Amino acid sequence: MRDNNTDYLEKKTKSLITERSRSYIIYLILLMALIAIMDQYLSFIETNAIPHIIKEYNVTESEYSWWKVLYFIPTFLIFLLNGLIDIIGRKYSLLILIFLFGIPSLAIVYFTPSFHLYMVFFTIIIYATVSNMWTIPISEEAPAGKRAKLVSLVYFLSLIPLMAIIPLILQQIGLNWKWMYGVMFFFMIPVLILWVFMKETKRYELIKEERKLGIR
C-alpha cells in the first residue's frame, strides 16, 4: 500500500526531471569553465615558479621535491572536501573550492617570507585542484544525451594556456614571481559574482527531499 511520503516523493521527482533552460545551461558551462580554468592554471603554474622558488628560498631541487612529497600527503584526504558535495550541496561546496583557489593564491604574495609558509599555502591550493568537483553540476544539470559532451566542453575551455601568457605579462609590468599565484585572487572575483546566480542542482534537491522523508 502506498503512503503519503511515496506519493510526495514521486511528485517531487517528476518536478525535478524537467530540464533547465538553454540559457541557464550556457551560463553554467561558463561558470564551471572559469572554475576549471583556475583549477588548471594553479595545477601547472608551479612549472614556471620552480626556478624562482629555489632561488628565493635557497633550497635545492632535490630538497624541494622531498618537501613537496611530504606536504602533499594531506591531498589523499580529498574525500573530506568532496564529501561536502552531499552534505551542504553542490553550490556551496563550489564556493569553498573557489575560496581555496583564490585566497591562498593571494596569501602566497604577502605571507610567505619562508619556504615552509609558501608550501603550506601551495599545498592548500593543490589540495583544492585534486577535487575536480566543477564537473558535477554540468553532469547533473545537462540534458541526458549531452552530459559527456558538455563536460568535455568545459574541460576543453579550461585548457586556455594562461600559464604561458600571465607570467610574460607580469614580467613586462615588473611584478615578482609570487604574483603568478596572486593573479588568481583577482580572477576569483568575477567568478564569485557569477556564482551568486547559480541554482542548486535538481539532483541535490531530490537528495534533500529524501532526507526529509527519512529515505536517505
Side-chain angles (χ1 to χ4, degrees), residues 188-206:
M188 175 184 74
I189 295 172
V191 176
L192 287 175
I193 294 171
L194 284 174
W195 172 87
V196 170
F197 303 99
M198 179 184 170
K199 301 171 185 177
E200 186 53 82
T201 70
K202 293 187 176 184
R203 174 60 184 161
Y204 183 69
E205 292 295 336
L206 182 58

Side-chain angles (χ1 to χ4, degrees), residues 146-174:
K146 296 182 179 180
R147 285 170 187 162
K149 178 181 177 181
L150 295 182
V151 170
S152 298
L153 175 60
V154 171
Y155 181 76
F156 174 76
L157 293 172
S158 75
L159 298 178
I160 297 172
L162 292 183
M163 68 287 299
I165 300 168
I166 289 178
L168 292 177
I169 296 174
L170 295 176
Q171 186 177 8
Q172 290 296 318
I173 60 179

Side-chain angles (χ1 to χ4, degrees), residues 4-216:
N4 292 335
N5 284 350
T6 302
D7 291 336
Y8 172 78
L9 187 60
E10 283 188 1
K11 290 177 182 178
K12 190 69 178 180
T13 301
K14 287 178 182 178
S15 71
L16 294 176
I17 289 175
T18 56
E19 294 182 353
R20 296 290 192 187
S21 67
R22 185 170 181 271
S23 60
Y24 180 77
I25 294 297
I26 292 172
Y27 151 79
L28 196 62
I29 290 170
L30 174 62
L31 175 58
M32 295 307 117
L34 290 173
I35 296 173
I37 286 170
M38 295 180 75
D39 188 323
Q40 294 290 335
Y41 176 87
L42 291 168
S43 295
F44 294 108
I45 195 60
E46 179 203 13
T47 304
N48 299 65
I50 284 176
H52 303 284
I53 295 167
I54 290 171
K55 181 178 179 181
E56 174 94 10
Y57 299 115
N58 194 27
V59 295
T60 66
E61 291 184 14
S62 177
E63 288 172 335
Y64 177 70
S65 296
W66 276 109
W67 278 114
K68 189 164 76 167
V69 168
L70 294 175
Y71 271 99
F72 280 12
I73 290 174
T75 61
F76 288 105
L77 301 176
I78 191 59
F79 65 87
L80 296 176
L81 177 60
N82 282 355
L84 292 175
I85 294 169
D86 285 330
I87 297 174
I88 63 173
R90 284 54 165 157
K91 179 173 182 176
Y92 289 103
S93 295
L94 281 170
L95 177 63
I96 292 172
L97 184 73
I98 295 166
F99 282 137
L100 288 176
F101 287 150
I103 294 175
S105 296
L106 188 65
I108 285 177
V109 177
Y110 293 108
F111 304 108
T112 54
S114 71
F115 172 72
H116 291 288
L117 276 174
Y118 163 79
M119 288 303 300
V120 167
F121 292 120
F122 179 52
T123 300
I124 294 171
I125 290 170
I126 295 302
Y127 178 73
T129 64
V130 175
S131 170
N132 287 337
M133 69 171 68
W134 45 265
T135 62
I136 294 175
I138 291 294
S139 63
E140 291 185 345
E141 298 284 66
K146 296 182 179 180
R147 285 170 187 162
K149 178 181 177 181
L150 295 182
V151 170
S152 298
L153 175 60
V154 171
Y155 181 76
F156 174 76
L157 293 172
S158 75
L159 298 178
I160 297 172
L162 292 183
M163 68 287 299
I165 300 168
I166 289 178
L168 292 177
I169 296 174
L170 295 176
Q171 186 177 8
Q172 290 296 318
I173 60 179
L175 292 176
N176 70 33
W177 67 272
K178 292 182 180 181
W179 280 103
M180 286 191 279
Y181 292 98
V183 71
M184 280 296 107
F185 176 82
F186 299 100
F187 192 94
M188 175 184 74
I189 295 172
V191 176
L192 287 175
I193 294 171
L194 284 174
W195 172 87
V196 170
F197 303 99
M198 179 184 170
K199 301 171 185 177
E200 186 53 82
T201 70
K202 293 187 176 184
R203 174 60 184 161
Y204 183 69
E205 292 295 336
L206 182 58
I207 289 173
K208 287 199 300 183
E209 293 299 329
E210 290 175 346
R211 284 177 179 157
K212 287 179 183 177
L213 300 175
I215 297 172
R216 180 176 290 265

